[in-house]
Amino acid sequence: MKIKSIWFHIGFWIIYTAIFTVVEASYKGKYTEALAFELMNMPMRLIVVYFNYFVLLPRFLLQGKTAKYFTYTLLTLIVAGFIQRLANYKILSMFYSDLYDFGVWLPYKFLQTSMIIASPLILIIGISVIWKVAELQKRAKTLENEKLQSELKYLKSQINPHFLFNTLNNIYGLSLENSKKTPELILKLSDFLSFSLYESTQKFILLEKEINLLNDFIDLEKSRFDDRVAVEVSIPENINQISIPPLILVPFVENAFKHSLKNETRIAHIFVKLEVVDGQLIYEVKNSKPDQTIEDSSPRGIGLENIKKRLNILYDDQYELQIEDEDKLYSIVLKINV
């Protein structure tokens, strides 16, 4: 046992003996006799308690074998009560030669002695079980937190390559056309990679940094699609020192560009709005939908699914995500308590 546990048990027996000595003396009137009685019962109590503590408890109760545990505990108490009753009589006979039998062999006398032995067992096993349950709950909480952190890292590792893949495709398309916009896109991609390396590894970042990334992403997409898309952005210039998880805002806009422009021959429309009202961040993204959609086998919604999982892990019930998929319009509204 650990040193702390040893001192706990020593302290328990000292306090237990002192309390029951006082209780015994309260109706017998003699503290010396009461203490002698407690000390006389001490060895058997120690044997029963620690046989239960080191053998029966871990082998049966903590293994879920409750019936066996209580059966063996009851048998132990019956045997211990029988032995202790006879031992008490023999010890007292040594000091009092004229000691009478007083029904030493009566069954209820043995039962009474068993209950005296059982009192410290009930206390110490009860305390030990509560202590053990508290430790298991603490360990389970630690493991849960480690699992959540591992899942968050995994989800982030999926998000970064996803964005990088789309952006490289944009640059590749423009480079084939020898577009003058290519250097600008490469520079913005460099900024994004810098963000991925130094900012996205953090659990939370300043909202201002996430907004800068969002604006860079919108510029990248607008440069690629030119006059095929009309984007309206409504974000206040001055944002309070609010922190949010990295790469939370961008995937919704990325999804809007992807699905509003797919198979669209007309001008697509995207609306992005962000505001902070009464301690709540409200983020809204809307995009028009093409008149005709063609089913394809390419993966869809990777970013959105990851964001939903991350929000569930980080915010639990402290956020609200509303998604509306209409014939001509797709919209999301994200509300986070900040």
Side-chain angles (χ1 to χ4, degrees), residues 101-246:
D101 190 325
F102 290 118
V104 68
W105 294 101
L106 292 175
Y108 82 90
K109 291 289 186 180
F110 293 108
L111 180 61
Q112 184 182 53
T113 306
S114 296
M115 294 305 298
I116 292 173
I117 296 172
S119 58
L121 174 65
I122 294 171
L123 284 172
I124 201 164
I125 296 302
I127 294 171
S128 299
V129 169
I130 293 173
W131 197 339
K132 189 71 175 179
V133 169
E135 286 183 346
L136 290 175
Q137 289 178 340
K138 183 179 179 181
R139 188 180 304 172
K141 186 67 176 177
T142 301
L143 290 174
E144 183 182 358
N145 288 336
E146 290 176 354
K147 179 183 176 182
L148 291 179
Q149 291 303 319
S150 297
E151 187 171 352
L152 279 174
K153 291 179 181 178
Y154 171 71
L155 293 175
K156 286 181 181 180
S157 71
Q158 284 187 311
I159 290 172
N160 292 349
H162 183 55
F163 284 137
L164 182 59
F165 175 79
N166 287 337
T167 305
L168 285 173
N169 273 344
N170 295 350
I171 295 174
Y172 175 73
L174 289 174
S175 66
L176 291 177
E177 302 171 359
N178 294 320
S179 173
K180 295 181 180 180
K181 298 176 182 178
T182 304
E184 179 186 354
L185 291 176
I186 293 176
L187 181 60
K188 290 185 179 295
L189 176 60
S190 174
D191 291 338
F192 176 78
L193 290 176
S194 176
F195 182 95
S196 300
L197 288 172
Y198 301 109
E199 303 293 344
S200 67
T201 56
Q202 301 179 33
K203 187 175 181 180
F204 289 93
I205 63 168
L206 289 176
L207 176 59
E208 182 180 0
K209 293 183 178 180
E210 181 78 3
I211 290 174
N212 290 336
L213 184 71
L214 176 64
N215 288 328
D216 284 345
F217 183 83
I218 292 174
D219 290 340
L220 283 168
E221 295 293 80
K222 286 171 66 178
S223 298
R224 177 190 176 193
F225 294 106
D226 229 353
D227 57 356
R228 288 185 56 200
V229 60
V231 183
E232 181 181 349
V233 180
S234 176
I235 298 176
E237 294 183 0
N238 297 322
I239 296 291
N240 294 330
Q241 296 295 308
I242 296 172
S243 296
I244 64 170

Side-chain angles (χ1 to χ4, degrees), residues 49 98 133 250 272:
V49 166
D98 57 345
V133 169
V250 176
V272 181

